Structure formats: structure tokens, C-alpha cells
């Protein structure tokens, strides 16, 4: 096991909670590398079929893990995806589950063109804390944190908190 000089961070949560906005800004402020798993899958066609019900491709999780394995071992990665239980536990030093008020989330998803079952299922996923529970089962409790993500003030607070955490991690581990 290589010793990492920079931490790996997972940003997860229901679609529409602000993972990508946070991840891109975090990468700029910390110098860590940002990977949006949805974009990575699209670029590499890392799919295993098409889901007719949700009208979207089905992620080939094994191929995604294979694609990221080398980069994750070096550290310094911010990974953004709405699922988290298929990533190896050893990859991440900390996991942030973004949470958004249902009304805010509904409007965000609706503006993205989500409708019907897809919209309802994503709202229910947030109501029932599905991603948070998935993260708690997949990773050590002490590295999983929930962050509110409703407005620009939350975004700024989250950025400051994670930047601070990252700086402290690098001091402690170098």
C-alpha cells in the first residue's frame, strides 16, 4: 500500500444535491483532481445496457472501478457520484453525503427535465436518506459526514469546511 500525500474525497448524494458544483470548486481551491463518474462513464462508454424505465444507461461498476484504480492509489482525488457502495472502502479518507431540502431538490430536478417516476424516486431517495445509509454501510462511520446543500451559503460553508479538513489531513500525513 502506497502512502498518499493527498487525501481521496468522495462526494455523494441524490442527483441534484450539488455534488458537481461543490466538487469542481473544491478542486480549484485544493489542487486535488476532480472526477465526475457520470462523465468518466460517458467518455469511456463504461455501461452495461440501458434502463428503459429511467431512460438512462446502466453503469458498469466493475469497469468504473478498474478505470479509477491507479489514480485512486496515488491520492489527491475528489470523486463525485450518486452511488457509493461499489467503490472499494480503502479508496477514501473521507465521504461527504450532500443533503438537500425536498422542495429545493424537486425544483432542481424538475429544471433538469426529470419527471414522473424518475423525479418521484429521486425525491423519495432523499426523504429516506438512501444514499446516507448506503455510505454508512459501505464505509467506517467516522469518515462519513452529512452536509446541507440548499443554497450558496451552504456551498461556501461546505467548501471552507472541506478545504480546512484537507489542509489538516495533509499536515497530519506528510
Amino acid at each position: 500500500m502506497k502512502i498518499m500525500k493527498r487525501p481521496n474525497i468522495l462526494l455523494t448524494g441524490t442527483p441534484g444535491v450539488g455534488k458537481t458544483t461543490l466538487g469542481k470548486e473544491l478542486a480549484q481551491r485544493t489542487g486535488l483532481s476532480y472526477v465526475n463518474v457520470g462523465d468518466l462513464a460517458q467518455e469511456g462508454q463504461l455501461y452495461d445496457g440501458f434502463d428503459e424505465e429511467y431512460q438512462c444507461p446502466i453503469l458498469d461498476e466493475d469497469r468504473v472501478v478498474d478505470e479509477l484504480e491507479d489514480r485512486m492509489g496515488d491520492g489527491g482525488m475528489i470523486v463525485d457520484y450518486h452511488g457509493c457502495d461499489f467503490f472499494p472502502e480503502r479508496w477514501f479518507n473521507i465521504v461527504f453525503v450532500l443533503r438537500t431540502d425536498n422542495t429545493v431538490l424537486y425544483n432542481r430536478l424538475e429544471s433538469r427535465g426529470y419527471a414522473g417516476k424518475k423525479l418521484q424516486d429521486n425525491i423519495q431517495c432523499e426523504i429516506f436518506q438512501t444514499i446516507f445509509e448506503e455510505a454508512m454501510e459501505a464505509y467506517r462511520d467516522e469518515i462519513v459526514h452529512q452536509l446541507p446543500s440548499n443554497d450558496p451559503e451552504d456551498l461556501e460553508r461546505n467548501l471552507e469546511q472541506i478545504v480546512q479538513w484537507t489542509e489538516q489531513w495533509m499536515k497530519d500525513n506528510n
Side-chain angles (χ1 to χ4, degrees), residues 102-137:
N102 299 323
T103 316
V104 174
L105 185 61
Y106 188 94
N107 294 336
R108 287 181 190 170
L109 292 176
E110 205 175 40
S111 72
R112 289 184 179 187
Y114 283 42
K117 184 170 173 46
K118 189 173 184 177
L119 178 61
Q120 290 309 321
D121 286 358
N122 278 294
I123 296 297
Q124 280 187 337
C125 180
E126 187 64 8
I127 291 169
F128 294 122
Q129 302 186 47
T130 307
I131 308 293
F132 177 64
E133 287 178 10
E134 188 179 292
M136 291 299 286
E137 285 172 24

Side-chain angles (χ1 to χ4, degrees), residues 34-42 46-47 59 64 68 79-82 86-87:
Y34 170 76
V35 176
N36 179 308
V37 172
D39 293 346
L40 179 80
Q42 197 171 8
L46 308 176
Y47 299 124
L59 191 70
V64 168
L68 286 172
V79 176
D80 157 359
Y81 194 60
H82 58 260
F86 66 93
F87 297 120

